[in-house]
Amino acid sequence: MIEITNLSHSLGAKTVLRKINLEIPDNTILGIVGINGAGKSTLLRLLAGVYLPDSGYIRYDDRSPADAETRKDIFFLPDDPYYTAFMTPNTLFDFYKTFHPAIDRESYDRLLGAYKIDPVGKVRNFSKGMRRQVFIALALAVKPRYLLLDEAFDGLDPLSRRIFKDAIISLVEEGKTTVLIASHSLRELEDFCDRFILIDNNVIKDQGDIAEHVGRLCKFELAFTEAVNEGLFAGLPTASLMIKNRFVQIVLEGDSDEMRERLEALSPAVIDEMPLDFEESFIHDVRKEGMIL
Amino acid sequence: MTSFKSYFKSHLKANIRPLIYILATVLVLTFLIGVENQPTSRYDFELQQYYQDYKSTLNTPVIFLCILTYVVPVMEFSFFKKRINLDCAYSMPISRVAMGTVHYLTGLITLFGAFTASYLVNFALLLSRGPGYFNFKPMAEHYLLALLLGFAIYSLMVFIFNEANTKGDGIWFMILYTFVLILVMGAINRIIGDYNIFSSGTSSIPVALIISMTSNYKYLVEIDSAQRATFWSSPEYVSWFIFWVVAGIASAVGFFLTFGKRRMERTEEISDSFFGFRTLIPIYAFTGMITFRVSEMIIFWVIIELLALLGYTIYRRGFHYKKSDFIILASLIIFLFIEI
């Protein structure tokens, strides 16, 4: 289990994380979400032992990531990973083997094959997506106990994303790996994360199960026989409201059946419940907190 | 320990190409300089006789040593000046001190390897000229002493370079440290009334001390040389030699004590170390002003004030001066008016 207690960290004069407390059970896929600059990458760097916390602590089963021994169980894939001008996927593998001697060559080759990556091509000549694929293959070949991923889906095509997700899910299902993944692509997190945390204003603003979180809101589209205005919806727990003459799109907080009944009481000509995904739910949350307009 | 060994091997393997390039360059140049060296006939007015000036070309390997004491720290430690590299390095299962030690030792191997190879080639060329021309015995002593000074300067430069948050600032620190003591010496000489301002200053430049030492050993190696002064008969040289060796050892200790404690998030930021611009700019400015403490040289004072301003501009990477910078600059102006 990963245990974060009263963790605070500043970058220069700017406080990035303040008194973070979190417990992450083993074999979990945790999505870390937040707007740009919220502190997602800082949290991952602290978890990886790259940054040393200003105060508070992180424990991996009572071990600190500041100890090199603990980091044998951790693989951190940053947003912009390291490689030199002469490195190829093969030499990168050798480099990582230096630190993770148990890295699985077969798994690495299989994933490179699935991604159609030339193992002797220069990494610097690869596209961003191809580079990302190489590092994902490395991360999965290491089979770490704790996998920390920062913007891991960036630059990946839909097929690569699917391969990646399946590989992560099978790692977790084998009961060996806990995955922490920070991403802007919330739609990508929705279908495979067990839990999420929302970081805002230096603290964890919200956390829990993604499906439950999304279920707190419901979205409807309505059509009226004549033009309507905002006043009609005044009594409702509105998260967002968009009116175009006779047509309305509304997101409400609460149980969808109850909200449908209350909307039907307004006598719309048509009422349809629309699916709401994690990204929309996140946007409503951050709007509510005044983080974005 | 396993990670240390395997990283050491991996790092050496990864750096074999630059190591080969350095060795090849040093060997080829040593060979060419050695082959080109021809004896010349000279007249000694004191002894009233001609003598053959057989150059021992002892300076060749030493000059390479001097250059490499600056180049190798930059080569080895530039890796730690980019955040993108540190994300990878610091998340690996190896301690930061162990990683720093690997780079330090690899640099030392490069430095000693290139110097030794160059020294051996030079020695072989001197030997090939036949017996009676050179006295080889002092060469072993010279080799070991040069190696010791090389280690000291390398350690000093490694420490200084690692006090900077960027590669560029690190290079500035190395340059500024090279000449800082000559200015301090100049200022001290001025204060105590010795107007021959740089009388004992050149050895305060560490690489200059190796060159001076080598010149003295050349006289011992070149049998027909008219001069027989030894390096160890000069108290100035001896005291500077001891000073630089102690400074080198202290720097190595300082490096190992501080390397593991460096905050990764300061990388690529302004280099605010006590051992950097923060201290060096005022030292340069004030010692410069004291050294040129005569009213006819007021133009130098204006230049020094402008250079200090330029220094702070480089330090702050633009015109974002801080209050402390203005205090130093204002103090310099006040100092100027007091002197006038």
Side-chain angles (χ1 to χ4, degrees), chain B residues 170-237:
Chain B
I171 293 169
W172 272 116
F173 286 9
M174 290 162 87
I175 296 167
L176 292 173
Y177 262 93
T178 302
F179 302 105
V180 70
L181 280 183
I182 199 165
L183 277 172
V184 172
M185 290 305 299
I188 291 169
N189 286 344
R190 265 296 179 163
I191 291 165
I192 61 174
D194 177 0
Y195 283 83
N196 182 14
I197 55 171
F198 295 125
S199 62
S200 59
T202 47
S203 299
S204 61
I205 300 171
V207 287
L209 183 67
I210 308 190
I211 303 289
S212 304
M213 183 182 79
T214 304
S215 299
N216 276 268
Y217 273 90
K218 270 174 76 178
Y219 302 140
L220 299 177
V221 171
E222 292 162 7
I223 286 170
D224 290 332
S225 170
Q227 296 187 51
R228 278 287 175 267
T230 73
F231 180 74
W232 300 106
S233 59
S234 159
E236 181 201 325
Y237 285 149

Side-chain angles (χ1 to χ4, degrees), chain B residues 89-107:
Chain B
Y90 289 173
S91 63
M92 292 296 189
I94 178 169
S95 78
R96 296 178 186 196
V97 176
M99 194 168 258
T101 307
V102 165
H103 285 253
Y104 178 84
L105 291 177
T106 310

Side-chain angles (χ1 to χ4, degrees), chain B residues 27-133:
Chain B
L27 289 179
V28 168
L29 288 174
T30 308
F31 182 78
L32 291 177
I33 293 166
V35 166
E36 282 297 305
N37 178 30
Q38 296 298 322
T40 48
S41 215
R42 292 196 180 170
Y43 188 74
D44 188 311
F45 289 97
E46 274 183 27
L47 300 175
Q48 294 190 332
Q49 62 181 42
Y50 280 96
Y51 70 94
Q52 292 291 302
D53 183 13
Y54 293 103
K55 288 176 190 161
S56 62
T57 54
L58 221 54
N59 270 333
T60 313
V62 165
I63 285 167
F64 289 129
L65 178 73
C66 293
I67 294 168
L68 290 175
T69 52
Y70 284 73
V71 172
V72 174
V74 177
M75 270 172 58
E76 279 300 326
F77 290 93
S78 291
F79 174 81
F80 297 98
K81 302 296 170 202
K82 279 191 168 185
R83 283 184 190 163
I84 183 174
N85 300 352
L86 296 182
D87 268 340
C88 168
Y90 289 173
S91 63
M92 292 296 189
I94 178 169
S95 78
R96 296 178 186 196
V97 176
M99 194 168 258
T101 307
V102 165
H103 285 253
Y104 178 84
L105 291 177
T106 310
L108 217 51
I109 290 169
T110 309
L111 186 73
F112 286 4
F115 176 62
T116 305
S118 172
Y119 212 91
L120 287 174
V121 168
N122 192 50
F123 176 74
L125 285 169
L126 298 182
L127 205 62
S128 70
R129 298 197 180 277
Y133 294 123

